[in-house]
Amino acid sequence: WRLEYSAVSQDSTFCPESFEEFYKQRRRWIPSTIANLAEVIRNYDKITSNNDSISILFILYQFLILFSTLISPATVILIMVTGLRAIDDSLSDVALIVVLCLVSILFG
């Protein structure tokens, strides 16, 4: 196939209209995002030598994005536990684990 410029081209997209649609979309996109970021980091030497617009700082930025994507579920759980502890300090660890498991099952 051949890619050419067309001045009269038109494009459209469908944005999620509810949180549930958005959540499902992000669940579909995250594995490919992680794979693409890992590929960029793994082949940084080829990428930076073939493209003058991409620097080592950009590769470092991609690594930070990958790291934050990987730790984000643990961050959410930590925030939830801290919030539940702030509301009621007498909650046991078992009660917190049960609540977090239920939330994970509902949104999983």
Side-chain angles (χ1 to χ4, degrees), residues 36-82:
N36 290 333
L37 289 172
E39 187 71 23
V40 166
I41 293 167
R42 183 176 31 241
N43 295 322
Y44 75 92
D45 52 346
K46 291 180 188 175
I47 293 171
T48 55
S49 65
N50 291 336
N51 191 337
D52 293 334
S53 300
I54 297 178
S55 67
I56 293 296
L57 288 176
F58 178 76
I59 301 298
L60 177 64
Y61 173 69
Q62 297 302 310
F63 177 77
L64 291 174
I65 290 174
L66 176 63
F67 179 72
S68 66
T69 301
L70 293 174
I71 68 166
S72 61
T75 305
V76 170
I77 290 172
L78 182 62
I79 290 170
M80 289 177 66
V81 167
T82 305

Side-chain angles (χ1 to χ4, degrees), residues 5-57:
Y5 172 76
S6 174
V8 295
S9 64
Q10 198 173 21
D11 191 18
S12 65
T13 187
F14 297 102
C15 297
E17 294 184 10
S18 69
F19 178 75
E20 183 179 0
E21 288 179 42
F22 173 73
Y23 183 77
K24 288 179 180 178
Q25 180 187 59
R26 291 304 304 153
R27 272 187 74 185
R28 287 192 315 269
W29 287 4
I30 284 179
S32 61
T33 300
I34 291 172
N36 290 333
L37 289 172
E39 187 71 23
V40 166
I41 293 167
R42 183 176 31 241
N43 295 322
Y44 75 92
D45 52 346
K46 291 180 188 175
I47 293 171
T48 55
S49 65
N50 291 336
N51 191 337
D52 293 334
S53 300
I54 297 178
S55 67
I56 293 296
L57 288 176

